[in-house]
Amino acid sequence: MKYLMSVIFTSMLYGCASTSSAVISYSPYFKIQVPVEDLDGAIFFQSDSISVRFSDGGVLSGLIIDKSVESLPSNFNISEYPEYSLGLKSTNNLSQPYADLFRNSWEETKRTYNNPEVTKTENNGKLIYTACGVDSCLSFLVDMNMPEHILMLSGMNFDQAKYNQLLKGI
């Protein structure tokens, strides 16, 4: 825990020294640059994920997902996780209990985000799948050069425009 927080704050200090943004590093492949002024009064904390509570009440959380997080089989292509989880890809070809896992995930996402439109964009070599509700968003980031894990981001108390602006820092 101390090591993780040291890495985060060292990355932030480096980011502050070299640009007007700080870097939140979830892994060597997944980092977000956040404007320093957005971090005024922000609180960093960790539960299951690394999170930032901004002074305006918005919370950004990120979690690395790999096969072990969901106990997925070794032959599962983790880059397909967002497509299954967000209902973009049929789960008919998956065995149980994985098909139910992803169907249930999509049902919960629809309920939580009020039947969101799911978008797929690309930024800095990463595919970004996003579903947004009124004041919250969920994204999965896939780096096709990193077959071991993906990043799940959630933003609570964010409007979609502000959340999308944060995603530009990927």
Side-chain angles (χ1 to χ4, degrees):
M1 175 72 152
K2 286 181 182 180
Y3 174 75
L4 176 63
M5 296 310 285
S6 297
V7 170
I8 292 168
F9 291 119
T10 301
S11 296
M12 286 180 60
L13 290 173
Y14 175 78
C16 291
S18 62
T19 67
S20 62
S21 64
V23 176
I24 302 171
S25 179
Y26 294 98
S27 83
Y29 296 90
F30 295 105
K31 301 174 184 180
I32 296 180
Q33 293 184 9
V34 179
V36 171
E37 59 271 12
D38 288 355
L39 295 174
D40 186 32
I43 299 170
F44 285 80
F45 61 96
Q46 182 172 359
S47 53
D48 290 339
S49 60
I50 300 171
S51 302
V52 181
R53 178 179 301 279
F54 296 92
S55 61
D56 65 2
V59 176
L60 180 69
S61 298
L63 176 68
I64 293 295
I65 296 177
D66 60 20
K67 295 173 192 172
S68 67
V69 169
E70 299 282 3
S71 301
L72 296 167
S74 61
N75 64 344
F76 183 81
N77 181 349
I78 199 71
S79 68
E80 294 177 337
Y81 186 99
E83 295 174 306
Y84 287 122
S85 190
L86 295 172
L88 299 173
K89 192 170 191 173
S90 171
T91 59
N92 292 341
N93 64 330
L94 297 177
S95 62
Q96 291 300 331
Y98 310 110
D100 284 343
L101 171 82
F102 286 111
R103 272 195 298 275
N104 292 340
S105 176
W106 175 229
E107 289 303 316
E108 182 62 21
T109 299
K110 289 191 300 186
R111 187 191 65 73
T112 302
Y113 298 95
N114 196 24
N115 294 315
E117 174 186 352
V118 177
T119 61
K120 179 180 173 183
T121 58
E122 187 172 343
N123 187 16
N124 289 330
K126 294 179 177 52
L127 296 176
I128 305 170
Y129 299 84
T130 301
C132 288
V134 174
D135 65 352
S136 56
C137 293
L138 173 69
S139 295
F140 293 97
L141 288 73
V142 176
D143 184 327
M144 298 308 285
N145 296 317
M146 168 31 65
E148 302 300 317
H149 64 263
I150 62 174
L151 175 64
M152 180 179 71
L153 284 177
S154 65
M156 295 180 356
N157 299 323
F158 278 100
D159 65 33
Q160 191 169 355
K162 184 173 180 181
Y163 183 81
N164 287 337
Q165 188 63 34
L166 278 173
L167 287 179
K168 289 181 181 179
I170 300 295

